[in-house]
């Protein structure tokens, strides 16, 4: 009975989709000799704004030491820079380099134009509904996260 309850749980179904999508993202990451978290970091950065590292920690849902490692490797690759925040020297901010901007554009194009196999069973209308619901859930989560920081 518990197995049936688990398999019909929306939370468990989302975990299964997330694992499959993570695998799909991993294939993209391998193409550019990056990790999933590095791809997520690059795609999360705005080409025109600095991002505080503590904010990146919230986006990645991981601790600051893990973010430091991700950022260090991207800095070494010349894809981002790290600097002190102009208004608060205690805060470190990251930004895309020109190479990082170009790679980000290429990866975003691939992500947007390629429907992962996990989603290929959904119609356009179903994808629109799914997008609406995910956006709603993520927006709520983002607002709650900002209140805590």
């Amino acid at each position: 009975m518990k197995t049936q309850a688990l398999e019909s749980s929306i939370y468990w179904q989302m975990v299964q989709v997330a694992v499959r999508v993570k695998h799909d993202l991993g294939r993209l990451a391998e193409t550019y000799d990056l990790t999933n978290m590095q791809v997520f970091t690059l795609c999360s950065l705005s080409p025109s704004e600095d991002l505080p590292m503590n904010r990146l920690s919230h986006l990645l849902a991981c601790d600051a030491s893990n973010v430091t490692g991700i950022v260090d490797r991207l800095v070494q690759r010349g894809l981002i820079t790290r600097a002190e925040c102009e208004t608060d020297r205690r805060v470190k901010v990251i930004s895309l380099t020109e190479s990082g901007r170009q790679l980000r554009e290429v990866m975003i194009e691939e992500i947007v134009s390629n429907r992962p196999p996990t989603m290929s069973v959904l119609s356009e209308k179903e994808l629109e509904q799914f997008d609406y619901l995910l956006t709603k859930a993520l927006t709520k989560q983002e607002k709650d996260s900002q209140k805590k920081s």
Side-chain angles (χ1 to χ4, degrees), residues 2-147:
K2 290 202 183 253
T3 299
Q4 186 177 13
L6 175 65
E7 290 180 5
S8 64
S9 161
I10 191 166
Y11 177 76
W12 184 245
Q13 291 171 3
M14 286 176 53
V15 167
Q16 291 179 62
V17 168
V19 167
R20 292 175 186 158
V21 169
K22 181 180 177 184
H23 177 73
D24 296 337
L25 184 64
R27 281 188 266 143
L28 173 66
E30 283 178 6
T31 302
Y32 299 101
D33 194 29
L34 297 169
T35 66
N36 285 9
M37 294 301 257
Q38 290 169 334
V39 170
F40 189 86
T41 297
L42 288 172
C43 291
S44 296
L45 291 170
S46 168
S48 59
E49 290 180 30
D50 293 343
L51 180 69
M53 284 186 54
N54 61 351
R55 182 82 189 100
L56 179 60
S57 180
H58 287 294
L59 289 172
L60 297 177
C62 62
D63 63 62
S65 63
N66 194 15
V67 170
T68 299
I70 294 165
V71 168
D72 284 348
R73 288 184 291 281
L74 290 171
V75 167
Q76 289 170 355
R77 294 266 312 261
L79 299 172
I80 65 172
T81 59
R82 175 182 30 220
E84 289 181 352
C85 176
E86 292 178 9
T87 58
D88 186 345
R89 292 184 5 202
R90 296 170 298 173
V91 175
K92 302 293 183 221
V93 295
I94 58 174
S95 57
L96 291 164
T97 62
E98 186 54 39
S99 296
R101 280 186 198 90
Q102 291 173 6
L103 181 56
R104 176 183 180 273
E105 289 299 314
V106 169
M107 289 189 305
I108 287 175
E109 181 60 37
E110 289 187 41
I111 291 168
V112 169
S113 65
N114 296 315
R115 182 182 297 182
T118 306
M119 300 291 131
S120 64
V121 298
L122 301 177
S123 70
E124 288 302 317
K125 183 171 176 70
E126 290 169 328
L127 282 170
E128 287 174 17
Q129 292 170 329
F130 194 51
D131 178 57
Y132 169 78
L133 294 171
L134 287 174
T135 300
K136 184 176 181 179
L138 290 171
T139 301
K140 168 78 167 105
Q141 183 181 11
E142 182 69 20
K143 287 178 182 173
D144 290 348
S145 175
Q146 287 176 353
K147 288 178 186 174

